[in-house]
Every structure is written in structure tokens, then in C-alpha cells.
Amino acid sequence: MPNRPVEIGPAGLHTARAIEHLRLVRGLTQRQLAARCTALGRPMANTALNCTERARRRCDVDDPVALATALGAPPAALLLPWPTRTAAPYATAQSLNPFQEGLLG
């Protein structure tokens, strides 16, 4: 019997969007963010990060902690719902609400 893929739930979807949003706000490429995680001791390929941001890859708790640290944000910030994508080519800090901005400092 083949294994059935495990679905990514609402918290995982929010986290995936938050990772991408913060990465774009910080002006980082996926390769740069993956390199930062690797430098922090959590090896990560940019392809794994891409799959995480697209909610095609489940991650354990160590990944969001490393990603948040590499992004200069508290890990809890990745669990909050974030604004949806806009037509702009990249997200800006102005798309954060005051509560999210306070968490990010």
C-alpha cells in the first residue's frame, strides 16, 4: 500500500506565506536565506526553501526557528496570518499591520 502524502494544514500554509513575505520584505533571495540558515547550523538548500514557501514540503520545528532567526524575527511571527500577495513585484514593510510590525521590531 503506497504512502499517502500528509496534507499541510492552515498553520502550515500561514507559515509558508509568512516565510516568503518576510524574506521579500528583507530583500533576500531564497538562495541567500537558505545560506543564512546553513550558516546558523541548520543546513537548507534553496530548493527545500522553495518547496516550503510553496507549501509542498512539511518542515519540522527546527526549520521555522532557523528561518525566523535568519530573518531577524521571533519564531512566533511565522505562525501569524500575513497579508496576501499583491500585484507588486515584491512585498514592502508597508504591507504589515501594526501588530506584525511590533513583533518584527
Side-chain angles (χ1 to χ4, degrees):
M1 177 186 246
N3 287 341
R4 195 175 89 198
V6 179
E7 284 187 37
I8 297 177
L13 293 173
H14 283 301
T15 299
R17 289 184 195 117
I19 292 166
E20 180 182 32
H21 182 82
L22 285 176
R23 178 180 61 77
L24 294 172
V25 166
R26 300 293 194 252
L28 298 170
T29 65
Q30 288 177 340
R31 188 174 304 278
Q32 290 170 323
L33 180 54
R36 285 184 177 195
C37 289
T38 299
L40 289 169
R42 182 68 179 172
M44 185 175 297
N46 64 304
T47 54
L49 178 56
N50 181 280
C51 289
T52 300
E53 286 185 356
R54 303 287 167 256
R56 294 185 188 131
R57 174 182 175 266
R58 293 182 63 89
C59 53
D60 65 27
V61 71
D62 293 325
D63 289 334
V65 170
L67 287 161
T69 302
L71 289 164
L78 297 181
L79 299 175
L80 297 173
W82 289 91
T84 58
R85 272 192 203 182
T86 63
Y90 58 90
T92 63
Q94 287 76 28
S95 61
L96 301 176
N97 69 40
F99 179 71
Q100 293 162 336
E101 191 63 48
L103 281 172
L104 298 177

